[in-house]
Coordinates of all heavy atoms in Angstrom, one line a residue:
M1 N -13.0 10.4 -9.1 CA -12.9 10.3 -10.5 C -14.2 9.8 -11.0 O -14.7 8.7 -10.6 CB -11.7 9.5 -11.0 CG -11.5 9.6 -12.5 SD -10.0 8.6 -13.0 CE -8.7 9.6 -12.3
S2 N -14.8 10.4 -12.0 CA -16.1 9.9 -12.6 C -15.8 8.7 -13.4 O -14.7 8.4 -13.8 CB -16.7 11.0 -13.4 OG -15.9 11.2 -14.6
K3 N -16.9 8.0 -13.7 CA -16.8 6.7 -14.5 C -16.1 7.0 -15.9 O -15.3 6.3 -16.4 CB -18.2 6.1 -14.7 CG -18.2 4.9 -15.5 CD -18.6 3.7 -14.8 CE -18.6 2.5 -15.7 NZ -18.1 1.3 -15.1
A4 N -16.6 8.1 -16.5 CA -16.1 8.5 -17.8 C -14.6 8.8 -17.7 O -13.8 8.3 -18.5 CB -16.8 9.7 -18.4
K5 N -14.2 9.6 -16.6 CA -12.7 9.9 -16.5 C -11.9 8.6 -16.2 O -10.8 8.4 -16.6 CB -12.5 10.9 -15.4 CG -12.9 12.3 -15.8 CD -12.6 13.3 -14.8 CE -13.0 14.7 -15.2 NZ -12.8 15.7 -14.1
D6 N -12.5 7.7 -15.4 CA -11.9 6.4 -15.1 C -11.6 5.7 -16.4 O -10.5 5.1 -16.6 CB -12.9 5.7 -14.2 CG -12.4 4.2 -13.9 OD1 -11.2 4.0 -13.9 OD2 -13.3 3.4 -13.7
I7 N -12.6 5.6 -17.3 CA -12.4 4.9 -18.5 C -11.3 5.5 -19.4 O -10.5 4.9 -20.0 CB -13.8 4.8 -19.3 CG1 -14.7 3.9 -18.5 CG2 -13.6 4.2 -20.7 CD1 -16.2 4.0 -19.0
I8 N -11.4 6.9 -19.5 CA -10.5 7.6 -20.3 C -9.1 7.4 -19.8 O -8.1 7.2 -20.5 CB -10.8 9.1 -20.4 CG1 -12.1 9.3 -21.2 CG2 -9.7 9.9 -20.9 CD1 -12.7 10.7 -21.1
N9 N -8.9 7.4 -18.4 CA -7.6 7.3 -17.8 C -7.0 5.9 -18.1 O -5.9 5.8 -18.5 CB -7.8 7.4 -16.3 CG -6.5 7.2 -15.5 OD1 -6.4 6.2 -14.8 ND2 -5.5 8.1 -15.7
G10 N -7.9 4.9 -18.1 CA -7.5 3.5 -18.4 C -7.0 3.4 -19.8 O -5.9 2.8 -20.1
W11 N -7.7 3.9 -20.7 CA -7.4 3.8 -22.2 C -6.1 4.7 -22.5 O -5.2 4.3 -23.3 CB -8.6 4.2 -23.1 CG -9.6 3.2 -23.2 CD1 -10.8 3.2 -22.7 CD2 -9.4 1.9 -23.9 NE1 -11.5 2.0 -23.0 CE2 -10.7 1.2 -23.7 CE3 -8.4 1.3 -24.5 CZ2 -10.8 0.0 -24.3 CZ3 -8.6 0.0 -25.1 CH2 -9.8 -0.6 -24.9
S12 N -6.0 5.8 -21.8 CA -4.9 6.7 -22.0 C -3.6 5.9 -21.6 O -2.6 5.9 -22.3 CB -5.1 8.0 -21.2 OG -3.9 8.7 -21.3
N13 N -3.7 5.3 -20.4 CA -2.5 4.6 -19.9 C -2.2 3.3 -20.8 O -1.1 2.9 -20.8 CB -2.7 4.2 -18.5 CG -2.6 5.4 -17.5 OD1 -1.9 6.4 -17.8 ND2 -3.3 5.4 -16.4
Y14 N -3.3 2.7 -21.3 CA -3.1 1.6 -22.2 C -2.2 2.1 -23.5 O -1.3 1.4 -23.8 CB -4.4 1.1 -22.7 CG -4.3 0.1 -23.9 CD1 -4.0 -1.3 -23.7 CD2 -4.6 0.5 -25.2 CE1 -3.9 -2.1 -24.7 CE2 -4.5 -0.4 -26.2 CZ -4.1 -1.7 -26.0 OH -4.0 -2.6 -27.0
F15 N -2.6 3.2 -24.0 CA -1.8 3.6 -25.2 C -0.5 4.3 -24.9 O 0.5 4.1 -25.7 CB -2.7 4.6 -26.0 CG -3.9 4.0 -26.8 CD1 -5.2 4.2 -26.3 CD2 -3.6 3.1 -27.8 CE1 -6.3 3.6 -27.0 CE2 -4.7 2.5 -28.5 CZ -6.0 2.7 -28.0
T16 N -0.4 4.9 -23.8 CA 0.9 5.6 -23.5 C 1.8 4.8 -22.6 O 3.0 5.1 -22.5 CB 0.6 7.0 -22.8 OG1 0.1 6.8 -21.5 CG2 -0.3 7.9 -23.6
G17 N 1.3 3.9 -21.9 CA 2.0 3.1 -20.9 C 1.9 3.6 -19.5 O 2.0 2.8 -18.5
G18 N 1.6 4.9 -19.3 CA 1.4 5.5 -18.0 C 2.8 5.6 -17.3 O 3.8 5.3 -17.8
D19 N 2.8 6.1 -16.0 CA 4.0 6.3 -15.3 C 4.4 5.1 -14.6 O 3.7 4.0 -14.7 CB 3.8 7.5 -14.3 CG 2.7 7.2 -13.2 OD1 2.3 6.0 -13.1 OD2 2.3 8.2 -12.6
Q20 N 5.5 5.1 -13.9 CA 6.1 3.9 -13.3 C 5.1 3.3 -12.2 O 4.9 2.0 -12.2 CB 7.4 4.2 -12.6 CG 8.2 2.9 -12.2 CD 8.4 1.9 -13.3 OE1 8.7 2.4 -14.5 NE2 8.5 0.6 -13.0
T21 N 4.5 4.1 -11.5 CA 3.5 3.6 -10.5 C 2.4 2.9 -11.1 O 1.9 1.8 -10.7 CB 3.0 4.8 -9.6 OG1 4.1 5.5 -9.0 CG2 2.0 4.4 -8.6
T22 N 1.8 3.5 -12.2 CA 0.8 2.9 -12.9 C 1.2 1.5 -13.5 O 0.4 0.5 -13.4 CB 0.3 3.8 -14.1 OG1 -0.1 5.0 -13.6 CG2 -0.8 3.1 -14.9
K23 N 2.4 1.4 -14.0 CA 2.9 0.2 -14.6 C 3.0 -0.9 -13.5 O 2.6 -2.1 -13.8 CB 4.3 0.4 -15.2 CG 4.2 1.2 -16.5 CD 5.6 1.5 -17.1 CE 5.6 2.4 -18.3 NZ 6.9 2.8 -18.7
E24 N 3.5 -0.5 -12.4 CA 3.7 -1.5 -11.3 C 2.3 -2.0 -10.8 O 2.1 -3.2 -10.5 CB 4.5 -0.9 -10.2 CG 6.0 -0.7 -10.6 CD 6.8 0.0 -9.6 OE1 6.3 0.4 -8.5 OE2 8.0 0.3 -9.9
E25 N 1.4 -1.0 -10.6 CA 0.1 -1.4 -10.1 C -0.7 -2.2 -11.2 O -1.4 -3.2 -10.8 CB -0.7 -0.2 -9.7 CG -2.1 -0.4 -9.3 CD -2.3 -1.3 -8.0 OE1 -1.2 -1.6 -7.3 OE2 -3.4 -1.6 -7.6
A26 N -0.6 -1.9 -12.4 CA -1.2 -2.7 -13.5 C -0.7 -4.1 -13.5 O -1.5 -5.0 -13.7 CB -1.0 -1.9 -14.8
K27 N 0.6 -4.3 -13.3 CA 1.2 -5.6 -13.3 C 0.6 -6.4 -12.2 O 0.3 -7.6 -12.3 CB 2.7 -5.5 -13.2 CG 3.4 -6.8 -13.2 CD 3.3 -7.5 -14.5 CE 4.2 -8.8 -14.6 NZ 4.0 -9.5 -15.8
R28 N 0.6 -5.8 -11.0 CA 0.0 -6.4 -9.8 C -1.4 -6.9 -10.1 O -1.8 -8.0 -9.8 CB 0.1 -5.5 -8.6 CG -0.3 -6.2 -7.3 CD -0.4 -5.1 -6.2 NE -1.6 -4.3 -6.2 CZ -2.8 -4.6 -5.8 NH1 -3.0 -5.8 -5.2 NH2 -3.8 -3.8 -5.8
R29 N -2.2 -6.0 -10.6 CA -3.6 -6.3 -10.9 C -3.7 -7.4 -11.9 O -4.6 -8.3 -11.8 CB -4.4 -5.0 -11.4 CG -4.5 -4.0 -10.3 CD -5.2 -2.7 -10.9 NE -5.3 -1.7 -10.0 CZ -6.0 -0.5 -10.3 NH1 -6.4 -0.3 -11.5 NH2 -6.2 0.4 -9.3
A30 N -2.9 -7.3 -13.0 CA -3.1 -8.3 -14.1 C -2.8 -9.7 -13.6 O -3.4 -10.7 -14.0 CB -2.1 -7.9 -15.2
E31 N -1.8 -9.8 -12.7 CA -1.5 -11.1 -12.1 C -2.6 -11.7 -11.4 O -2.9 -12.9 -11.4 CB -0.2 -11.1 -11.3 CG 1.0 -10.8 -12.2 CD 2.3 -10.6 -11.3 OE1 2.2 -10.5 -10.1 OE2 3.4 -10.5 -11.9
I32 N -3.4 -10.8 -10.7 CA -4.6 -11.3 -10.0 C -5.7 -11.7 -10.9 O -6.3 -12.7 -10.8 CB -5.1 -10.2 -9.0 CG1 -4.0 -10.0 -7.9 CG2 -6.4 -10.6 -8.4 CD1 -4.3 -8.7 -7.0
C33 N -5.9 -10.8 -11.9 CA -7.0 -11.1 -12.9 C -6.7 -12.4 -13.7 O -7.7 -13.1 -14.0 CB -7.1 -9.9 -13.9 SG -7.8 -8.4 -13.2
A34 N -5.5 -12.6 -14.0 CA -5.1 -13.8 -14.8 C -5.6 -15.1 -14.2 O -5.8 -16.1 -14.8 CB -3.6 -13.8 -15.1
T35 N -5.7 -15.1 -12.8 CA -6.1 -16.4 -12.1 C -7.5 -16.3 -11.6 O -8.0 -17.2 -10.9 CB -5.2 -16.6 -10.9 OG1 -5.3 -15.6 -10.0 CG2 -3.7 -16.8 -11.4
C36 N -8.2 -15.2 -12.0 CA -9.6 -15.1 -11.5 C -10.6 -15.8 -12.4 O -10.5 -15.7 -13.7 CB -9.9 -13.6 -11.5 SG -11.6 -13.2 -11.1
P37 N -11.6 -16.5 -11.9 CA -12.6 -17.2 -12.7 C -13.4 -16.3 -13.6 O -14.0 -16.7 -14.6 CB -13.5 -17.8 -11.7 CG -12.7 -17.9 -10.4 CD -11.8 -16.7 -10.4
A38 N -13.5 -15.0 -13.2 CA -14.2 -14.0 -14.0 C -13.5 -13.6 -15.3 O -14.1 -13.0 -16.2 CB -14.6 -12.8 -13.2
S39 N -12.2 -13.8 -15.4 CA -11.5 -13.4 -16.6 C -11.7 -14.4 -17.7 O -11.4 -15.6 -17.5 CB -10.0 -13.2 -16.2 OG -9.4 -14.4 -15.8
K40 N -12.1 -13.9 -18.8 CA -12.4 -14.7 -20.0 C -11.7 -14.1 -21.2 O -11.6 -12.9 -21.4 CB -13.9 -14.8 -20.2 CG -14.7 -15.2 -19.0 CD -14.5 -16.7 -18.7 CE -15.4 -17.1 -17.5 NZ -15.0 -18.4 -17.0
Y41 N -11.5 -15.0 -22.2 CA -10.9 -14.5 -23.5 C -12.1 -13.9 -24.3 O -13.1 -14.5 -24.4 CB -10.2 -15.6 -24.3 CG -8.9 -15.9 -23.7 CD1 -8.6 -17.0 -22.9 CD2 -7.8 -15.0 -24.0 CE1 -7.4 -17.2 -22.4 CE2 -6.6 -15.2 -23.4 CZ -6.3 -16.4 -22.7 OH -5.1 -16.6 -22.1
G42 N -11.8 -12.8 -24.9 CA -12.8 -12.1 -25.7 C -12.3 -11.9 -27.1 O -11.3 -12.6 -27.5
L43 N -12.8 -10.9 -27.8 CA -12.3 -10.7 -29.2 C -11.3 -9.5 -29.2 O -11.0 -9.0 -30.2 CB -13.5 -10.3 -30.1 CG -14.6 -11.4 -30.1 CD1 -15.8 -10.8 -30.9 CD2 -14.0 -12.6 -30.8
H44 N -10.7 -9.2 -28.0 CA -9.9 -8.0 -28.0 C -8.5 -8.2 -28.5 O -7.8 -7.3 -28.8 CB -9.8 -7.5 -26.5 CG -11.1 -7.3 -25.8 ND1 -11.6 -8.3 -25.0 CD2 -12.0 -6.4 -26.0 CE1 -12.8 -7.9 -24.5 NE2 -13.1 -6.8 -25.1
T45 N -8.0 -9.5 -28.5 CA -6.6 -9.8 -28.8 C -6.2 -9.2 -30.1 O -5.1 -8.5 -30.2 CB -6.4 -11.3 -28.8 OG1 -6.9 -11.8 -27.6 CG2 -4.9 -11.6 -28.9
A46 N -7.0 -9.4 -31.2 CA -6.5 -8.9 -32.5 C -6.5 -7.4 -32.6 O -5.6 -6.8 -33.2 CB -7.5 -9.5 -33.6
L47 N -7.5 -6.8 -31.9 CA -7.6 -5.3 -32.1 C -6.8 -4.6 -31.0 O -6.3 -3.5 -31.2 CB -9.1 -4.9 -31.9 CG -10.1 -5.4 -33.0 CD1 -11.5 -5.1 -32.6 CD2 -9.7 -4.9 -34.3
L48 N -6.7 -5.2 -29.8 CA -6.0 -4.6 -28.7 C -4.9 -5.5 -28.1 O -5.1 -6.0 -27.0 CB -7.0 -4.2 -27.6 CG -8.2 -3.3 -28.1 CD1 -9.2 -3.3 -27.0 CD2 -7.6 -1.9 -28.3
P49 N -3.8 -5.7 -28.8 CA -2.7 -6.5 -28.3 C -2.2 -5.8 -27.0 O -2.2 -4.6 -26.9 CB -1.7 -6.5 -29.4 CG -2.0 -5.3 -30.2 CD -3.5 -5.1 -30.1
D50 N -1.8 -6.6 -26.1 CA -1.2 -6.1 -24.9 C 0.3 -6.6 -24.8 O 0.5 -7.8 -24.4 CB -2.0 -6.5 -23.6 CG -1.7 -5.6 -22.4 OD1 -0.4 -5.3 -22.2 OD2 -2.6 -5.3 -21.6
F51 N 1.2 -5.8 -25.1 CA 2.6 -6.2 -25.2 C 3.3 -6.3 -23.9 O 4.3 -6.9 -23.8 CB 3.4 -5.3 -26.2 CG 2.8 -5.3 -27.6 CD1 2.2 -4.2 -28.1 CD2 2.9 -6.4 -28.4 CE1 1.6 -4.2 -29.4 CE2 2.4 -6.5 -29.7 CZ 1.7 -5.3 -30.2
T52 N 2.8 -5.6 -22.9 CA 3.5 -5.6 -21.6 C 2.8 -6.4 -20.5 O 3.4 -6.8 -19.5 CB 3.7 -4.2 -21.1 OG1 2.4 -3.5 -21.0 CG2 4.6 -3.3 -22.0
L53 N 1.5 -6.7 -20.7 CA 0.8 -7.5 -19.8 C 0.2 -8.7 -20.5 O -1.1 -8.8 -20.7 CB -0.3 -6.7 -19.1 CG 0.2 -5.5 -18.2 CD1 -1.0 -4.7 -17.7 CD2 1.0 -6.0 -17.1
S54 N 1.0 -9.6 -21.0 CA 0.6 -10.7 -21.8 C -0.3 -11.7 -21.1 O -1.1 -12.3 -21.7 CB 1.8 -11.4 -22.4 OG 2.6 -11.9 -21.3
E55 N -0.3 -11.6 -19.7 CA -1.1 -12.6 -19.0 C -2.6 -12.2 -19.1 O -3.4 -13.1 -18.8 CB -0.7 -12.6 -17.5 CG -0.7 -11.3 -16.7 CD 0.6 -10.5 -16.8 OE1 1.0 -10.2 -17.9 OE2 1.2 -10.3 -15.7
I56 N -2.9 -11.0 -19.5 CA -4.4 -10.7 -19.6 C -4.7 -10.3 -21.1 O -5.8 -9.8 -21.3 CB -4.8 -9.6 -18.7 CG1 -3.9 -8.3 -18.8 CG2 -4.8 -10.1 -17.2 CD1 -4.5 -7.1 -18.2
Q57 N -3.8 -10.5 -22.0 CA -4.0 -10.1 -23.4 C -5.3 -10.8 -23.9 O -5.5 -12.0 -23.8 CB -2.8 -10.5 -24.2 CG -3.1 -10.2 -25.7 CD -1.8 -10.1 -26.5 OE1 -1.3 -9.1 -26.8 NE2 -1.3 -11.3 -26.8
G58 N -6.2 -10.0 -24.4 CA -7.4 -10.5 -25.1 C -8.5 -10.9 -24.0 O -9.5 -11.5 -24.4
M59 N -8.3 -10.5 -22.8 CA -9.2 -11.0 -21.8 C -10.1 -9.8 -21.3 O -9.8 -8.6 -21.4 CB -8.5 -11.6 -20.6 CG -7.6 -12.7 -20.9 SD -6.9 -13.6 -19.5 CE -8.1 -14.8 -19.2
Y60 N -11.3 -10.2 -20.8 CA -12.2 -9.2 -20.2 C -12.8 -9.8 -18.9 O -12.6 -11.0 -18.7 CB -13.3 -8.9 -21.2 CG -14.3 -10.0 -21.5 CD1 -15.6 -10.0 -20.8 CD2 -14.0 -11.0 -22.3 CE1 -16.5 -11.0 -21.1 CE2 -14.9 -12.1 -22.5 CZ -16.1 -12.1 -21.9 OH -17.0 -13.1 -22.1
C61 N -13.4 -8.9 -18.2 CA -14.0 -9.3 -16.9 C -15.5 -9.7 -17.1 O -16.3 -8.8 -17.4 CB -13.8 -8.2 -15.9 SG -14.5 -8.5 -14.3
S62 N -15.8 -10.9 -17.0 CA -17.1 -11.4 -17.5 C -18.3 -11.1 -16.5 O -18.2 -11.3 -15.3 CB -17.0 -12.9 -17.6 OG -18.3 -13.5 -17.8
K63 N -19.3 -10.4 -17.1 CA -20.5 -10.1 -16.3 C -21.2 -11.4 -15.8 O -21.8 -11.4 -14.8 CB -21.5 -9.3 -17.1 CG -21.0 -7.8 -17.2 CD -22.1 -7.0 -17.9 CE -21.7 -5.5 -17.9 NZ -22.7 -4.7 -18.6
E64 N -21.1 -12.4 -16.6 CA -21.7 -13.7 -16.3 C -21.1 -14.3 -15.0 O -21.7 -15.1 -14.3 CB -21.6 -14.7 -17.4 CG -22.5 -14.5 -18.6 CD -22.0 -13.3 -19.5 OE1 -20.8 -13.0 -19.5 OE2 -22.9 -12.7 -20.1
E65 N -19.9 -13.9 -14.7 CA -19.2 -14.4 -13.5 C -19.2 -13.3 -12.4 O -18.4 -13.4 -11.4 CB -17.7 -14.7 -13.8 CG -17.6 -15.8 -14.9 CD -18.0 -17.2 -14.3 OE1 -18.0 -17.4 -13.1 OE2 -18.2 -18.1 -15.2
G66 N -20.1 -12.3 -12.6 CA -20.1 -11.2 -11.6 C -19.2 -10.1 -11.8 O -19.0 -9.3 -10.9
G67 N -18.5 -10.1 -12.9 CA -17.6 -9.0 -13.2 C -18.2 -7.8 -13.8 O -19.5 -7.6 -13.9
C68 N -17.4 -6.8 -14.3 CA -17.9 -5.6 -14.8 C -18.1 -5.5 -16.3 O -18.7 -4.6 -16.8 CB -16.9 -4.4 -14.4 SG -15.2 -4.7 -15.0
G69 N -17.6 -6.5 -17.0 CA -17.7 -6.5 -18.5 C -16.6 -5.8 -19.2 O -16.6 -5.7 -20.4
C70 N -15.6 -5.2 -18.4 CA -14.6 -4.4 -19.0 C -13.5 -5.2 -19.6 O -13.1 -6.2 -19.1 CB -14.0 -3.5 -17.9 SG -15.1 -2.4 -17.1
P71 N -12.9 -4.7 -20.7 CA -11.6 -5.3 -21.2 C -10.6 -5.1 -20.1 O -10.5 -3.9 -19.6 CB -11.3 -4.6 -22.5 CG -12.2 -3.4 -22.6 CD -13.4 -3.6 -21.6
L72 N -9.8 -6.1 -19.8 CA -8.9 -6.0 -18.7 C -7.7 -5.0 -18.9 O -7.2 -4.4 -18.0 CB -8.4 -7.3 -18.2 CG -9.5 -8.1 -17.5 CD1 -9.0 -9.5 -17.2 CD2 -10.0 -7.5 -16.3
S73 N -7.2 -5.0 -20.2 CA -6.0 -4.2 -20.4 C -6.2 -2.7 -20.0 O -5.3 -2.2 -19.3 CB -5.6 -4.2 -21.9 OG -5.1 -5.5 -22.1
P74 N -7.2 -2.0 -20.3 CA -7.4 -0.7 -19.8 C -7.9 -0.6 -18.3 O -7.5 0.2 -17.6 CB -8.4 0.0 -20.7 CG -9.2 -1.1 -21.3 CD -8.2 -2.3 -21.4
A75 N -8.7 -1.7 -17.9 CA -9.2 -1.7 -16.6 C -8.1 -1.7 -15.5 O -8.1 -1.0 -14.6 CB -10.1 -2.9 -16.4
V76 N -7.1 -2.5 -15.7 CA -6.0 -2.7 -14.7 C -5.1 -1.4 -14.7 O -4.4 -1.2 -13.8 CB -5.2 -3.9 -14.9 CG1 -6.0 -5.2 -14.8 CG2 -4.4 -3.9 -16.2
R77 N -5.2 -0.7 -15.8 CA -4.3 0.5 -15.9 C -5.0 1.8 -15.5 O -4.4 2.9 -15.5 CB -3.8 0.7 -17.3 CG -2.8 -0.3 -17.8 CD -2.5 -0.2 -19.2 NE -1.3 -0.9 -19.7 CZ -1.4 -2.2 -20.2 NH1 -2.6 -2.7 -20.4 NH2 -0.3 -2.8 -20.6
S78 N -6.3 1.7 -15.1 CA -7.0 2.9 -14.7 C -6.9 3.1 -13.2 O -7.0 2.2 -12.4 CB -8.5 2.7 -14.9 OG -9.3 3.8 -14.4
A79 N -6.5 4.4 -12.8 CA -6.1 4.7 -11.4 C -7.3 4.4 -10.5 O -7.1 3.9 -9.4 CB -5.7 6.1 -11.3
E80 N -8.5 4.7 -10.9 CA -9.6 4.6 -10.0 C -10.5 3.4 -10.2 O -11.4 3.2 -9.4 CB -10.5 5.9 -10.1 CG -9.7 7.2 -9.7 CD -9.3 7.2 -8.3 OE1 -10.1 6.7 -7.4 OE2 -8.2 7.7 -8.0
H81 N -10.3 2.6 -11.2 CA -11.1 1.5 -11.5 C -11.0 0.5 -10.3 O -10.0 0.2 -9.8 CB -10.7 0.8 -12.8 CG -11.7 -0.2 -13.2 ND1 -12.8 0.0 -13.9 CD2 -11.7 -1.6 -13.0 CE1 -13.5 -1.1 -14.1 NE2 -12.8 -2.1 -13.6
Q82 N -12.2 0.0 -9.9 CA -12.2 -1.0 -8.8 C -12.6 -2.4 -9.3 O -13.6 -2.5 -10.0 CB -13.1 -0.5 -7.7 CG -12.6 0.8 -7.1 CD -13.4 1.3 -5.9 OE1 -14.6 1.0 -5.9 NE2 -12.9 2.0 -5.0
C83 N -11.9 -3.3 -8.8 CA -12.3 -4.7 -9.1 C -13.7 -5.0 -8.5 O -13.9 -4.7 -7.3 CB -11.3 -5.7 -8.5 SG -11.9 -7.4 -8.5
P84 N -14.7 -5.4 -9.3 CA -16.1 -5.7 -8.8 C -16.1 -6.7 -7.7 O -17.1 -6.9 -6.9 CB -16.9 -6.0 -10.0 CG -15.9 -6.5 -11.0 CD -14.6 -5.7 -10.7
K85 N -15.1 -7.6 -7.6 CA -15.0 -8.6 -6.6 C -14.0 -8.3 -5.4 O -13.6 -9.1 -4.6 CB -14.7 -9.9 -7.2 CG -15.8 -10.5 -8.1 CD -15.4 -11.8 -8.6 CE -16.5 -12.4 -9.5 NZ -17.6 -12.9 -8.7
N86 N -13.6 -7.0 -5.5 CA -12.7 -6.5 -4.4 C -11.4 -7.3 -4.3 O -10.9 -7.6 -3.2 CB -13.3 -6.4 -3.1 CG -14.4 -5.4 -3.1 OD1 -14.3 -4.3 -3.6 ND2 -15.6 -5.7 -2.4
R87 N -10.9 -7.8 -5.4 CA -9.6 -8.6 -5.4 C -8.4 -7.6 -5.5 O -7.3 -8.1 -5.2 CB -9.6 -9.6 -6.5 CG -10.7 -10.7 -6.2 CD -10.5 -11.9 -7.0 NE -11.2 -13.0 -6.5 CZ -12.2 -13.7 -7.2 NH1 -12.4 -13.4 -8.5 NH2 -12.9 -14.6 -6.6
W88 N -8.6 -6.4 -6.1 CA -7.6 -5.4 -6.1 C -8.2 -4.1 -6.0 O -9.4 -3.9 -6.0 CB -6.6 -5.5 -7.2 CG -7.2 -5.7 -8.6 CD1 -7.3 -6.9 -9.3 CD2 -7.8 -4.7 -9.5 NE1 -7.9 -6.6 -10.5 CE2 -8.2 -5.3 -10.7 CE3 -8.0 -3.3 -9.3 CZ2 -8.8 -4.7 -11.8 CZ3 -8.6 -2.6 -10.4 CH2 -9.0 -3.3 -11.6
Ligands
SF4_101 S1 -11.3 -7.2 -12.3 FE1 -11.6 -8.5 -10.5 S2 -13.4 -9.7 -11.0 FE2 -12.7 -8.9 -12.9 S3 -11.2 -10.5 -13.7 FE3 -10.0 -9.0 -12.5 S4 -9.9 -9.9 -10.4 FE4 -11.6 -10.9 -11.5

């Protein structure tokens, strides 16, 4: 999957919820991200509430900590997105 399709897939699943496999994998990833030093609070909370993965609501993967800079809500829901630190 290309980077553009990866991003679109993540946002699509953010808005639609995705299928059961996506939901379960997103939950697994979110629990890992929530305890990762690279996860930081950004300005996404007000614009992009996350009602099903509250542990990463408003968080992004910080480039300053070696992350990808992505908002985590779509990142964990993207089928092909890879954690830059290989944690999931
Ligand atoms: S995607 Fe990886 S590096 Fe980024 S916050 Fe999640 S676990 Fe940490």
Side-chain angles (χ1 to χ4, degrees):
M1 188 180 289
S2 70
K3 177 116 176 138
K5 285 184 179 176
D6 173 29
I7 293 168
I8 291 168
N9 178 247
W11 282 111
S12 174
N13 287 332
Y14 168 80
F15 286 112
T16 66
D19 60 19
Q20 189 60 32
T21 300
T22 299
K23 289 176 183 171
E24 290 172 5
E25 177 63 7
K27 180 69 176 171
R28 184 186 77 83
R29 293 176 178 183
E31 288 173 355
I32 295 169
C33 290
T35 62
C36 175
S39 61
K40 307 289 181 191
Y41 282 103
L43 301 174
H44 311 103
T45 308
L47 297 173
L48 301 169
D50 197 320
F51 298 111
T52 57
L53 297 175
S54 59
E55 59 269 62
I56 56 165
Q57 178 164 255
M59 302 186 92
Y60 69 102
C61 181
S62 172
K63 284 187 175 180
E64 286 75 26
E65 300 287 341
C68 58
C70 300
L72 288 175
S73 289
V76 301
R77 292 176 168 93
S78 175
E80 299 296 324
H81 189 83
Q82 295 183 333
C83 167
K85 292 183 176 283
N86 294 319
R87 293 196 165 122
W88 46 258

